[in-house]
Amino acid sequence: MTDKPDVKLAIVGSGFSGLGLAVRLKQAGMHDFVILERADDLGGTWRDNSYPGCRCDVPSHLYSFSFAMNPGWSETYSTQPEIWAYLRKVAARNDVERHIRYGHDVKSGHWDDEAQLWRLKTAEGELSAQIVVLGVGALADPKLPQLPGLETFEGEVFHSANWNHDYDLTGKRVAVVGTGASAIQFVPEIAPKVDKLVLFQRTAAWILPHTNRRITKAEKWLYRHVPGAQRLSRAGVYASRELVVFGLAFWPNVMRAGEALARKHLARQVPDRELRRKLTPHFRLGCKRIMLSNDYYPSLTRPNVDVVASGITEVRGNTVVGADGTAHEVDAIIFGTGFHVTDPPYAEGVHGRDGRSLADVFGGTPRAYLGTALANFPNAFTLLGPNTGLGHTSVVYMIEGQINYVMRCLREMDRRRWRTVEVRPSVERAYNAELQRKLPGTVWNSGGCASWYLDANGVNSTIWPRFTWQFRLRTRKFRPDEYVVTPEPR
Ligand code: NAP
């Protein structure tokens, strides 16, 4: 017996993915949807990551929706507050806010095969939906290392994605763990304030000079008044970034040219030989995310900053102990240790047609068809899902490809009066086998590093291994023969 769901479509998350889909639904005249958001404001990753210095490392003309361009960006690479404000503006302009249910942390979702709908349990009660779209993001759940003694540490502890703005770091002794894209942005901001900063670096990262600059009034005028000017600028950014794929995906040795540039940057900014040695990476550029900064290295040369070139092994009282045996007494520990990307907590709670959870089905290696459709999970889609991540350009471009695909599927469902769609397991398998055939020669798999792109099974289940326009081509068509469908009851 099929039941009537409370809503046609439930979107989980109000970041770039969820908002983008919501805007497109509104534009298509589809209003029967809700966005379930666990926090009390929208914006996802760009709401949560409010640490000092947070800025996007992809130019904003490209790191924004093609259907909601912003001629007013103030810098070429925008700061977190400006991106967050952009998302709020997009939501307001498209009348999306009234669809958002704040505080609705989705605890679980079960596919009810008899009623042919999703039953969702949220922090605020239950809800049924015909279709569920997970727009939960890849960088949503902070990852903290399991450190013996951390629970008895009496000082302040927080993660970069949960920055405690009420804690004044002035004059404090601070340990920072991690040297990823987040840490290299907040370390230069806090280093001048603190009494002492001990930076625990497990792996040195490649860092290139940043080319951020203010966008002039004349440029903004051009973008506002000359049709196509901003699109042209966007296309230029897109094309130049796409060139990097030749090195990343096909000829990793080409990346040596970038390494030479990064070495020069390091030599120019760090005169001390021993510190330079610590900061020199030993893997191919691109294997981990390429970072951009002009103030990270100089901040490490300050007399109050110590770089400990090792991980952290334990906390003893108020002392942090490095893997190199050194001990450092501190008032606060800040973790810039990344996110649960390939083992997201939400996957435990989403149960498909046979009752198994997404986490069980994945078995440590997330898979989906086109990073979007999940076999065994009828009427469920995921945005920015497995193998849609990028190392060189804007993920918003990938999200839009997935939104296009979901929109096509929804139109087809309406037109042909289908109640359910479910991608065939053979289609999902063949697609993922194809991806895994393409990945071994890429820098992400062969560049000699351990990165979060590789999951617990050592499989690269995060990165799209080719040009991004190829992904857009693949998501342009919805092919019904790739799905098992059931009709709406009469
Ligand atoms: P991340 O890239 O995962 O970096 C985590 C850092 O913590 C790494 O240096 C890692 O060392 C270290 N770490 C992890 N566990 C540790 C442990 N137990 N002991 C010692 N060190 C440990 O995380 P993130 O910096 O937050 O960045 C995540 C992603 O967010 C980036 O890759 C990027 O995609 C995105 N991001 C983007 C921007 C932007 O500008 N658009 C800014 C920030 C973040 P190892 O390298 O040895 O693993």
Side-chain angles (χ1 to χ4, degrees):
M1 247 290 284
T2 51
D3 286 355
K4 189 168 165 28
D6 297 328
V7 284
K8 170 126 182 152
L9 197 152
I11 300 171
V12 185
S14 66
F16 261 102
S17 297
L19 283 181
L21 177 60
V23 171
R24 292 286 308 279
L25 288 169
K26 301 283 289 183
Q27 289 173 345
M30 301 179 189
H31 303 284
D32 188 8
F33 72 91
V34 292
I35 301 180
L36 305 171
E37 169 54 60
R38 64 183 175 186
D40 57 5
D41 204 339
L42 58 81
T45 296
W46 289 102
R47 173 201 59 225
D48 292 343
N49 285 269
S50 64
Y51 61 77
C54 184
R55 178 188 291 278
C56 186
D57 57 11
V58 177
S60 289
H61 286 318
L62 188 59
Y63 199 92
S64 46
F65 294 120
S66 64
F67 49 81
M69 305 259 281
N70 171 21
W73 291 118
S74 49
E75 294 173 80
T76 48
Y77 294 79
S78 298
T79 59
Q80 174 265 341
E82 197 168 358
I83 298 172
W84 190 21
Y86 162 79
L87 288 174
R88 285 202 297 258
K89 205 186 258 179
V90 169
R93 279 201 181 147
N94 291 279
D95 192 26
V96 164
E97 273 240 296
R98 67 191 172 89
H99 294 264
I100 307 180
R101 307 282 177 269
Y102 291 113
H104 280 59
D105 190 2
V106 178
K107 304 287 185 192
S108 69
H110 285 82
W111 174 252
D112 182 335
D113 210 28
E114 209 174 298
Q116 297 211 301
L117 45 74
W118 281 95
R119 296 199 185 280
L120 305 174
K121 281 201 178 111
T122 81
E124 294 291 322
E126 297 188 9
L127 177 93
S128 63
Q130 185 189 342
I131 300 158
V132 166
V133 181
L134 301 166
V136 291
L139 308 173
D141 294 291
K143 195 169 183 173
L144 289 166
Q146 302 291 321
L147 276 181
L150 183 59
E151 63 292 348
T152 55
F153 180 69
E154 283 171 3
E156 183 64 25
V157 177
F158 54 88
H159 186 276
S160 52
N162 295 317
W163 197 271
N164 182 357
H165 292 278
D166 295 331
Y167 183 74
D168 186 5
L169 288 160
T170 312
K172 300 288 191 327
R173 296 162 303 169
V174 180
V176 170
V177 186
T179 53
S182 301
I184 70 143
Q185 292 184 329
F186 69 74
V187 163
E189 298 291 321
I190 65 170
K193 277 191 194 165
V194 299
D195 171 48
K196 175 107 199 123
L197 193 155
V198 187
L199 176 63
F200 289 90
Q201 168 197 273
R202 198 166 59 179
T203 312
W206 287 111
I207 298 174
L208 289 170
H210 211 311
T211 57
N212 182 46
R213 63 169 178 82
R214 291 202 72 77
I215 295 176
T216 63
K217 272 190 184 153
E219 285 171 293
K220 285 186 203 168
W221 185 90
L222 213 67
Y223 295 144
R224 274 211 173 88
H225 301 289
V226 178
Q230 196 175 12
R231 286 209 186 266
L232 196 66
S233 165
R234 183 179 164 96
V237 175
Y238 176 77
S240 62
R241 296 221 152 211
E242 215 57 0
L243 286 177
V244 185
V245 177
F246 286 109
L248 295 171
F250 298 102
W251 301 294
N253 277 338
V254 169
M255 303 308 287
R256 285 174 195 266
E259 289 172 18
L261 193 66
R263 271 203 199 89
K264 227 187 232 169
H265 189 47
L266 174 63
R268 244 191 328 253
Q269 295 200 316
V270 179
D272 180 77
R273 214 164 153 187
E274 175 53 20
L275 182 58
R276 238 178 16 237
R277 189 190 59 75
K278 281 187 197 171
L279 297 173
T280 303
H282 300 286
F283 56 86
R284 185 86 319 127
L285 175 82
C287 184
K288 283 169 178 274
R289 192 173 182 89
I290 302 170
M291 299 186 208
L292 309 174
S293 178
N294 296 338
D295 52 9
Y296 176 64
Y297 286 145
S299 72
L300 305 186
T301 65
R302 296 175 59 88
N304 67 334
V305 176
D306 232 1
V307 178
V308 178
S310 86
I312 166 174
T313 51
E314 64 171 316
V315 180
R316 270 189 233 134
N318 279 355
T319 300
V320 174
V321 182
D324 63 350
T326 57
H328 310 263
E329 200 176 318
V330 294
D331 305 304
I333 307 174
I334 306 176
F335 289 100
T337 42
F339 299 85
H340 287 279
V341 180
T342 53
D343 57 346
Y346 78 85
E348 307 275 345
V350 182
H351 296 260
R353 198 163 31 75
D354 63 6
R356 282 192 305 156
S357 73
L358 203 49
D360 272 352
V361 171
F362 285 165
T365 295
R367 292 173 301 275
Y369 177 52
L370 298 172
T372 313
L374 301 154
N376 190 50
F377 293 79
N379 288 6
F381 300 97
T382 169
L383 300 176
L384 211 53
N387 291 101
T388 58
L390 302 171
H392 68 292
T393 190
S394 169
V395 287
V396 182
Y397 183 80
M398 300 295 276
I399 291 170
E400 282 198 40
Q402 296 179 277
I403 292 174
N404 290 340
Y405 186 76
V406 172
M407 291 300 292
R408 279 179 191 111
C409 173
L410 296 179
R411 265 186 228 116
E412 231 26 32
M413 287 177 86
D414 267 357
R415 200 167 66 84
R416 303 196 193 208
R417 294 190 46 76
W418 290 336
R419 173 72 178 209
T420 68
V421 293
E422 183 184 345
V423 69
R424 294 178 188 278
S426 57
V427 171
E428 191 194 77
R429 258 196 316 272
Y431 172 78
N432 281 287
E434 180 200 333
L435 290 184
Q436 293 308 323
R437 275 197 303 277
K438 287 177 173 160
L439 277 158
T442 67
V443 73
W444 304 292
N445 283 42
S446 69
C449 75
S451 75
W452 60 258
Y453 300 149
L454 308 180
D455 60 35
N457 302 320
V459 177
N460 187 333
S461 50
T462 55
I463 290 275
W464 169 252
R466 287 296 181 256
F467 295 102
T468 57
W469 52 264
Q470 292 174 299
F471 182 77
R472 290 294 287 263
L473 280 182
R474 302 242 345 212
T475 46
R476 261 176 68 166
K477 271 205 184 107
F478 175 81
R479 291 182 42 191
D481 58 313
E482 294 180 333
Y483 285 76
V484 176
V485 302
T486 58
E488 278 286 4
R490 292 188 180 276

